Amino acid sequence: MKFINKRILLALLFITSTAVFAQPKKVKVDGVVGVVGDYVVLDSDIDLDYITLKAQGVDVKNITRCELFGKQLEDRLYAHHAIQDSIIVTDAEVNSFLNEQLDAAVEQIGSIDKVVKYYNKKNVEELRSHFFDAVKMNKLTDQMQKKILESVEITPEEVRNFFKGIPADEIPTFGAEMEVAQIVVNPVVGEDEKKRVIDKLNEIRQDVINGSSFFSKAVLFSEDPGSSSNGGFYKMNRKTAFVKEFKDVAFSLAEGEISEPFETEFGYHIIKVEKIKGQEVELRHILISPKVSIQAMKDAKEKIEQIRNKIINNEISFSDAAKSSSDQKETRNNGGVLLNPRTMEPRFELTKMDPTLYAQVSSLKDNEISLPILDEERGAGKFYKIITVNNRIEEHQADFSRDYIKIKELALRDKQIKEIAKWTEEKIKETYIKISDDYKDCDFANNWFKK
């Protein structure tokens, strides 16, 4: 479709790229090829952009230096005005992200010493210093973009006009889709096992009260893969995506207080609140999940086989069976229908479907019930499920009533692009900008020369 141009493609490529390694801190003055407000662009930044894109498998032969330079100027325009608009990115936030990037680099290259050598730095400290400013600029850029777009909404009339405005030969084609439903049966955890976990957490809690390190206990005992290596640390506010039970306990504690063991869908927890900063809470937690017995797994499989047989024998519909018997609360009241996490509608485009789910449903005919499937979710443990395909939609040209949600997404994206372009045009006029003569012949998408 013509309304997604190359400049926007580049922007999308860079939003989540590893181009954090793109702005050396100490350089020769003659390496500066552009200045935007308080930020400079170095010729070496453009070289590093090419390296980053190639590392991601992008074919760069049709991407010019002028296009990459234009993207560098845009990022600095965002970052400069983020500072002017009092957008704050803390050092802790930058360091947290930087740690993740360095961990990923170590995993890919082999060791932190090899990463240091790869980037020609003397030691880890110099490596971190080198990347710190670039990470901070990227985060400021991201926050500024979000601020520009946060108020952009679209009405049904605008969606209709957008669709009518697409030339007939450019109406998009949407890929094949399917609607999927499932019934889940979780194995039942015995009361003795629950008591064992609660007793262990109470023992850990008492040790901490007596002076032991909560950090060390979390490293040793917590089964939360997202925080155990960091001593169970999380920073959250009331809008952070944690389960309700966890948030309720976290915001009920005073600084330094340790909760009693409590249960969520992931297992049993204890929380220690370290700091309360306005609406934010910094805490550490320990998660231990009760273990499921072999007999409990056998019982769960037998139960879901009985449910499947009743559906096949027309004793109950799949939807009613899900409502009465499924242990998955997110889908139970909807007859087991799965929602696409990207669009929050009950359609999955086959080319974008999770590979595991696709493998489970691809061979099913409409309304056929799968055999029991042993599955596992992070934090939720193993369970059995059966799946059915409620509906299939073949590849087709966009239809306004049938594909309204997707068309709305396209229309909103188009409006956001125009809003960004308007903001950029206005800010270029009021910002100090200097472009090297080496790039004077570039045909930029934006008016960087202020002609």
Side-chain angles (χ1 to χ4, degrees):
M1 298 172 65
K2 292 183 179 178
F3 44 83
I4 303 295
N5 60 34
K6 187 186 288 185
R7 183 177 69 84
I8 298 304
L9 175 61
L10 282 170
L12 293 173
L13 281 170
F14 273 83
I15 285 173
T16 57
S17 78
T18 54
V20 299
F21 307 127
Q23 186 176 354
K25 194 171 183 179
K26 296 181 180 179
V27 293
K28 295 179 180 179
V29 173
D30 60 5
V32 175
V33 294
V35 180
V36 180
D38 297 327
Y39 290 87
V40 299
V41 183
L42 308 171
D43 216 18
S44 58
D45 291 338
I46 301 172
D47 295 331
L48 286 170
D49 279 353
Y50 274 116
I51 293 171
T52 300
L53 287 170
K54 288 178 181 178
Q56 295 174 340
V58 177
D59 185 356
V60 300
K61 64 182 179 181
N62 293 322
I63 299 177
T64 68
R65 291 188 72 84
C66 287
E67 289 171 320
L68 292 181
F69 184 33
K71 182 63 177 64
Q72 292 277 357
L73 294 171
E74 287 180 16
D75 286 346
R76 283 148 181 80
L77 186 69
Y78 291 130
H80 174 75
H81 284 282
I83 297 294
Q84 305 304 308
D85 287 4
S86 300
I87 291 175
I88 297 173
V89 173
T90 65
D91 288 356
E93 188 179 349
V94 174
N95 282 320
S96 176
F97 182 81
L98 185 53
N99 289 339
E100 292 177 8
Q101 295 296 306
L102 290 177
D103 288 346
V106 168
E107 185 175 344
Q108 185 175 13
I109 297 175
S111 71
I112 189 62
D113 290 337
K114 289 182 179 179
V115 174
V116 170
K117 184 178 180 180
Y118 182 83
Y119 288 102
N120 296 317
K121 300 302 171 187
K122 296 178 182 178
N123 49 47
V124 175
E125 289 72 24
E126 187 179 59
L127 182 76
R128 293 185 66 89
S129 176
H130 179 78
F131 294 142
F132 185 90
D133 288 344
V135 172
K136 190 163 189 174
M137 186 189 71
N138 283 355
K139 286 195 164 291
L140 287 168
T141 295
D142 183 56
Q143 292 299 316
M144 190 68 246
Q145 288 176 330
K146 289 179 179 177
K147 184 174 181 179
I148 297 166
L149 298 177
E150 65 185 1
S151 62
V152 179
E153 298 178 346
I154 195 159
T155 66
E157 185 63 24
E158 288 175 311
V159 177
R160 188 177 295 106
N161 290 336
F162 168 82
F163 187 68
K164 287 181 179 178
I166 302 176
D169 61 345
E170 293 184 24
I171 294 177
T173 297
F174 294 132
E177 299 172 308
M178 64 170 56
E179 297 177 6
V180 180
Q182 68 181 23
I183 296 172
V184 170
V185 172
N186 294 322
V188 177
V189 178
E191 292 302 318
D192 288 345
E193 175 62 10
K194 290 181 182 180
K195 184 178 184 301
R196 181 192 70 81
V197 170
I198 292 171
D199 288 346
K200 181 63 180 177
L201 286 170
N202 275 321
E203 177 188 325
I204 293 170
R205 180 177 183 273
Q206 191 59 50
D207 286 346
V208 174
I209 291 173
N210 292 337
S212 295
S213 165
F214 197 103
F215 180 102
S216 298
K217 294 290 187 180
V219 172
L220 289 172
F221 297 109
S222 182
E223 297 174 4
D224 176 15
S227 72
S228 59
S229 62
N230 195 29
F233 180 80
Y234 281 117
K235 181 167 65 175
M236 59 185 291
N237 57 47
R238 292 192 180 275
K239 294 182 179 179
T240 307
F242 280 78
V243 292
K244 181 180 183 300
E245 297 88 347
F246 191 96
K247 290 168 71 173
D248 287 347
V249 173
F251 285 101
S252 71
L253 300 173
E255 283 191 6
E257 189 177 359
I258 306 174
S259 74
E260 300 285 345
F262 66 94
E263 186 178 12
T264 73
E265 62 192 74
F266 300 103
Y268 288 87
H269 312 249
I270 54 173
I271 290 175
K272 179 181 181 181
V273 169
E274 294 197 335
K275 290 182 182 179
I276 299 174
K277 298 178 178 178
Q279 300 299 312
E280 283 192 338
V281 172
E282 293 183 6
L283 59 82
R284 297 188 186 278
H285 90 120
I286 295 172
L287 164 68
I288 301 179
S289 300
K291 304 302 180 284
V292 175
S293 67
I294 295 174
Q295 184 59 49
M297 292 302 299
K298 289 181 178 178
D299 293 343
K301 185 177 182 181
E302 181 179 332
K303 180 179 178 180
I304 206 161
E305 285 174 340
Q306 291 173 351
I307 294 170
R308 181 176 183 271
N309 289 334
K310 288 182 178 180
I311 298 170
I312 291 174
N313 294 331
N314 295 318
E315 296 176 36
I316 190 172
S317 69
F318 193 100
S319 177
D320 288 342
K323 292 175 182 177
S324 63
S325 303
S326 181
D327 290 329
Q328 188 175 52
K329 62 182 181 180
E330 295 86 356
T331 61
R332 182 172 56 224
N333 294 332
N334 198 29
V337 175
L338 293 175
L339 295 182
N340 188 326
R342 187 179 64 84
T343 63
M344 297 310 295
E345 64 170 341
R347 285 189 187 182
F348 291 83
E349 192 170 340
L350 300 192
T351 57
K352 298 178 181 178
M353 183 180 281
D354 176 80
T356 301
L357 180 60
Y358 178 78
Q360 294 169 349
V361 301
S362 58
S363 61
L364 291 178
K365 299 176 182 178
D366 288 351
N367 298 316
E368 181 182 0
I369 314 299
S370 74
L371 292 170
I373 300 169
L374 178 61
D375 207 341
E376 183 172 10
E377 287 185 0
R378 176 180 172 181
K382 294 181 179 180
F383 56 88
Y384 280 99
K385 67 180 182 182
I386 52 176
I387 299 180
T388 190
V389 177
N390 287 342
N391 191 19
R392 296 179 196 271
I393 301 96
E394 300 301 326
E395 181 178 281
H396 61 283
Q397 192 176 57
D399 174 85
F400 185 77
S401 59
R402 187 181 189 185
D403 302 299
Y404 178 80
I405 298 296
K406 289 186 174 60
I407 295 168
K408 181 181 178 182
E409 288 178 358
L410 293 175
L412 178 60
R413 182 59 181 153
D414 184 63
K415 188 173 181 179
Q416 289 173 333
I417 290 170
K418 291 175 180 176
E419 188 66 24
I420 287 284
K422 178 183 175 183
W423 181 92
T424 302
E425 182 180 0
E426 292 174 353
K427 296 304 179 183
I428 285 176
K429 293 177 182 177
E430 62 185 65
T431 307
Y432 173 77
I433 295 170
K434 184 175 177 61
I435 308 295
S436 168
D437 287 343
D438 293 341
Y439 290 86
K440 65 182 179 181
D441 294 326
C442 285
D443 182 19
F444 291 118
N446 294 310
N447 184 27
W448 297 113
F449 294 115
K450 300 188 179 184
K451 295 180 180 179

